[in-house]
Amino acid sequence: MPPIQILAIVASLLFLLYISRQIIKGKLREEYSFVWIFSTVVLLIFSFWRDGLEIVANALGVYEAPNLVFTAAIFVMLVYLLHLSKVASRLHQQTKTLSQELALLREKLERKD
Amino acid sequence: MDKIAVIIPAYNEEASIAAVVADVHQASKEAGVHYWPVVVNDCSKDRTGQIISELPCTALQLPINLGIGGAVQTGFKFALLNGYTHAVQVDGDGQHPPVELLKMYNYMNASGNDVVIGSRFLEGKGFQSSAMRRFGIKYFMRLNKLLVGVTINDSTSGLRMLNQNALKVVSKDYPDEYPEPEAVILYVKNGLKIGEVQVEMRERQGGVSSIDGVRSVYYMAKVTIAILYTYIRLTFR
C-alpha cells in the first residue's frame, strides 16, 4: 500500500471521528452533518479502492480521472454553499422577528401610562 | 377619533431625538389631531435608548441592530397591535418637520389613499438635496413607473403615512435595507392606493447620511435588484 493511500485513509477516518465528536458534543446539528459524513465516506471508499476512480471516470467518459474529482467536488461545494446561504437567510428572518417581538413585549412591560 | 402613531426610527440620534419628539407633540397640539411619537431605538451605541425612555413617547428598544426597514416595521407592528388608525414614518434626524403631517393626513382623508408619501419635488420648495441624489430619485421614479405604472416623484422619501390596510401589509412583509423605493412596489402589488403630497423638508439636524460616495452606487444597485425581485415575487406568487 503506497504512503499516500495510507495517508488518505487515516485523514478520512480522523475527519469522520472529528465530525462524530462535534455531533455528540452538540456543536453540529445532524442535518448539517449528513453532507460531511457522506463526503468522508466517499473519500474512504476511493482511498481503499484505488482503481475505482479510473473505472468511474471511464464509465462516465471522462478522459482524465482527476478532472472528475475536481468537477464533482466543486459542484457539491457550490450546492452546499447555496444551502448554507438559504439557512443564513432563514435565520436572519427569524432573528428579526424575534427581536421585534422582544421590543414590543418589553414596551408592554415598561409601559409608562 | 383617529390616532396616528408617529414612528421615529432612531440609530445614534441622541443629539436630535428629544427635539423631534417635542416637535411631534407641538404639531399635535397645533393641528388638533392625536399624534403619538413611537421611537424605535435600533440598538444605538450612544444614549438614544436612555433618552427616549425618559421622554413622553413610546420607546421600542431593539436588542440587536436590524437596519432601518426592520426598525420601522417594529413601529408598524406596534401601531397595528395597539389600535392606531394610521402610522406615519418620520426620520429621527429632524429632516421631516412634523407640522407637515397635517397636510398628509388631510390629503389621505380627502383622497382615500392607503399610503401618502410626503414628497420634496412636486413644487420644488424647501431643502432639495444634491444633484447626484436627485438623479437617483429620477431613476427610481422611471423604474417604478415602468414596472407598476405608478408615478412617485420622490420614492426615496421616508416620510410616509399608512392607514390600517397598508399597516396590515407592511407588518407581514417589509424590506430590511433601504426599504423606501422597494416598498412602493410592495404597496401597489398588494392593491393599495398611493398618493403623494408636497411637503417641505429641512436639512438634517444631526447625524450623518448613511448614503454617500461609493455607497450610493451600492445603494442604486441593491435597490434596483430588490425592486426587480419584489416585483417578480409578488407578480408570480
Side-chain angles (χ1 to χ4, degrees), chain A residues 42-78:
Chain A
V42 169
L43 279 176
L44 262 180
I45 291 173
F46 284 105
S47 304
F48 280 110
W49 183 32
R50 288 208 73 192
D51 305 328
L53 189 60
E54 286 289 342
I55 294 168
V56 174
N58 275 334
L60 290 172
V62 179
Y63 294 119
E64 300 285 340
N67 284 345
L68 178 66
V69 176
F70 289 124
T71 311
I74 292 171
F75 176 72
V76 170
M77 280 187 231
L78 277 179

Side-chain angles (χ1 to χ4, degrees), chain B residues 116-144:
Chain B
V116 170
I117 298 176
S119 168
R120 280 164 285 194
F121 302 111
L122 296 180
E123 292 159 22
K125 283 196 296 186
F127 175 60
Q128 294 286 312
S129 82
S130 68
M132 176 66 196
R133 206 145 173 169
R134 287 206 302 275
F135 167 78
I137 289 164
K138 267 259 151 45
Y139 164 72
F140 289 127
M141 183 190 92
R142 299 251 158 77
L143 189 61
N144 279 337

Side-chain angles (χ1 to χ4, degrees), chain B residues 67-208:
Chain B
I68 178 83
V72 171
Q73 194 189 32
T74 315
F76 291 148
K77 288 182 176 177
F78 174 83
L80 201 59
L81 282 171
N82 290 277
Y84 286 85
T85 53
H86 301 75
V88 59
Q89 179 189 339
V90 165
D91 281 354
D93 58 13
Q95 278 197 83
H96 303 148
V99 280
E100 301 291 271
L101 296 182
L102 186 61
K103 275 187 210 166
M104 296 172 72
Y105 177 62
N106 287 337
Y107 180 69
M108 187 148 211
N109 286 337
S111 63
N113 285 315
D114 300 298
V115 179
V116 170
I117 298 176
S119 168
R120 280 164 285 194
F121 302 111
L122 296 180
E123 292 159 22
K125 283 196 296 186
F127 175 60
Q128 294 286 312
S129 82
S130 68
M132 176 66 196
R133 206 145 173 169
R134 287 206 302 275
F135 167 78
I137 289 164
K138 267 259 151 45
Y139 164 72
F140 289 127
M141 183 190 92
R142 299 251 158 77
L143 189 61
N144 279 337
K145 183 156 169 50
L146 188 72
L147 291 177
V148 291
V150 171
T151 306
I152 301 296
N153 291 290
D154 194 3
S155 68
T156 63
S157 166
L159 182 62
R160 36 188 72 186
M161 187 176 286
L162 288 78
N163 68 7
Q164 281 191 338
N165 291 338
L167 283 175
K168 277 173 200 149
V169 170
V170 293
S171 46
K172 282 203 202 84
D173 185 9
Y174 198 67
D176 287 330
E177 209 185 4
Y178 315 133
E180 287 86 6
E182 201 183 328
V184 171
I185 303 278
L186 193 76
Y187 300 145
V188 177
K189 282 285 170 186
N190 280 288
L192 300 171
K193 281 175 64 193
I194 313 183
E196 216 176 355
V197 68
Q198 167 75 29
V199 297
E200 278 183 46
M201 290 194 193
R202 295 186 294 229
E203 277 193 74
R204 57 176 57 249
Q205 309 290 297
V208 284

Side-chain angles (χ1 to χ4, degrees), chain B residues 147-148 185 189 227-237:
Chain B
L147 291 177
V148 291
I185 303 278
K189 282 285 170 186
I227 284 177
L228 291 174
Y229 279 3
T230 306
Y231 174 77
I232 293 165
R233 175 167 63 89
L234 297 177
T235 304
F236 300 104
R237 70 181 157 183

